[in-house]
PDB file of all heavy atoms in Angstrom:
ATOM      1  N   GLU A 169      64.563 -11.420  76.429  1.00 98.00           N
ATOM      2  CA  GLU A 169      64.147 -11.735  75.064  1.00 98.00           C
ATOM      3  C   GLU A 169      63.819 -13.226  75.021  1.00 98.00           C
ATOM      4  O   GLU A 169      64.569 -14.055  75.550  1.00 98.00           O
ATOM      5  CB  GLU A 169      65.241 -11.444  74.030  1.00 98.00           C
ATOM      6  CG  GLU A 169      64.786 -11.914  72.629  1.00 98.00           C
ATOM      7  CD  GLU A 169      65.664 -11.479  71.470  1.00 98.00           C
ATOM      8  OE1 GLU A 169      66.712 -10.846  71.704  1.00 98.00           O
ATOM      9  OE2 GLU A 169      65.286 -11.791  70.310  1.00 98.00           O
ATOM     10  N   GLU A 264      59.307  -7.564  68.706  1.00 98.00           N
ATOM     11  CA  GLU A 264      60.562  -7.395  67.960  1.00 98.00           C
ATOM     12  C   GLU A 264      60.357  -7.740  66.496  1.00 98.00           C
ATOM     13  O   GLU A 264      59.923  -8.840  66.162  1.00 98.00           O
ATOM     14  CB  GLU A 264      61.655  -8.321  68.524  1.00 98.00           C
ATOM     15  CG  GLU A 264      62.408  -7.706  69.657  1.00 98.00           C
ATOM     16  CD  GLU A 264      63.708  -8.440  69.998  1.00 98.00           C
ATOM     17  OE1 GLU A 264      64.320  -9.079  69.121  1.00 98.00           O
ATOM     18  OE2 GLU A 264      64.090  -8.354  71.165  1.00 98.00           O
ATOM     19  N   ASP A 293      64.767  -4.914  65.604  1.00 95.00           N
ATOM     20  CA  ASP A 293      65.867  -5.847  65.885  1.00 95.00           C
ATOM     21  C   ASP A 293      66.998  -5.666  64.868  1.00 95.00           C
ATOM     22  O   ASP A 293      66.783  -5.153  63.772  1.00 95.00           O
ATOM     23  CB  ASP A 293      65.302  -7.271  65.777  1.00 95.00           C
ATOM     24  CG  ASP A 293      66.118  -8.297  66.556  1.00 95.00           C
ATOM     25  OD1 ASP A 293      67.156  -7.927  67.137  1.00 95.00           O
ATOM     26  OD2 ASP A 293      65.691  -9.462  66.585  1.00 95.00           O
ATOM     27  N   ASP A 294      68.184  -6.120  65.241  1.00 90.00           N
ATOM     28  CA  ASP A 294      69.338  -6.156  64.319  1.00 90.00           C
ATOM     29  C   ASP A 294      69.568  -4.794  63.675  1.00 90.00           C
ATOM     30  O   ASP A 294      69.917  -4.703  62.491  1.00 90.00           O
ATOM     31  CB  ASP A 294      69.124  -7.222  63.228  1.00 90.00           C
ATOM     32  CG  ASP A 294      68.817  -8.599  63.817  1.00 90.00           C
ATOM     33  OD1 ASP A 294      69.215  -8.840  64.970  1.00 90.00           O
ATOM     34  OD2 ASP A 294      68.177  -9.408  63.140  1.00 90.00           O
ATOM     35  N   LYS A 314      67.340  -2.289  68.668  1.00 97.00           N
ATOM     36  CA  LYS A 314      68.332  -3.221  69.194  1.00 97.00           C
ATOM     37  C   LYS A 314      69.565  -3.128  68.320  1.00 97.00           C
ATOM     38  O   LYS A 314      69.543  -3.522  67.142  1.00 97.00           O
ATOM     39  CB  LYS A 314      67.769  -4.640  69.226  1.00 97.00           C
ATOM     40  CG  LYS A 314      66.572  -4.738  70.171  1.00 97.00           C
ATOM     41  CD  LYS A 314      66.190  -6.154  70.457  1.00 97.00           C
ATOM     42  CE  LYS A 314      67.121  -6.791  71.491  1.00 97.00           C
ATOM     43  NZ  LYS A 314      66.654  -8.156  71.818  1.00 97.00           N
ATOM     44  N   ASP A 316      72.718  -4.087  66.680  1.00 95.00           N
ATOM     45  CA  ASP A 316      73.155  -5.441  66.359  1.00 95.00           C
ATOM     46  C   ASP A 316      74.513  -5.768  66.967  1.00 95.00           C
ATOM     47  O   ASP A 316      75.363  -4.898  67.151  1.00 95.00           O
ATOM     48  CB  ASP A 316      73.226  -5.599  64.842  1.00 95.00           C
ATOM     49  CG  ASP A 316      73.429  -7.053  64.463  1.00 95.00           C
ATOM     50  OD1 ASP A 316      72.507  -7.849  64.700  1.00 95.00           O
ATOM     51  OD2 ASP A 316      74.534  -7.391  63.975  1.00 95.00           O
ATOM     52  N   GLU A 350      72.907  -5.512  71.666  1.00 98.00           N
ATOM     53  CA  GLU A 350      72.915  -6.976  71.680  1.00 98.00           C
ATOM     54  C   GLU A 350      74.341  -7.499  71.673  1.00 98.00           C
ATOM     55  O   GLU A 350      75.264  -6.821  71.223  1.00 98.00           O
ATOM     56  CB  GLU A 350      72.245  -7.518  70.414  1.00 98.00           C
ATOM     57  CG  GLU A 350      70.842  -7.077  70.183  1.00 98.00           C
ATOM     58  CD  GLU A 350      70.193  -7.884  69.051  1.00 98.00           C
ATOM     59  OE1 GLU A 350      70.403  -7.531  67.876  1.00 98.00           O
ATOM     60  OE2 GLU A 350      69.503  -8.866  69.368  1.00 98.00           O
TER      61      GLU A 350
HETATM   62 MG1   MG B 403      69.068  -9.137  67.017  1.00 51.43          MG
END
Side-chain angles (χ1 to χ4, degrees):
E169 175 170 4
E264 273 195 28
D293 203 357
D294 306 335
K314 297 193 79 176
D316 190 67
E350 302 191 277

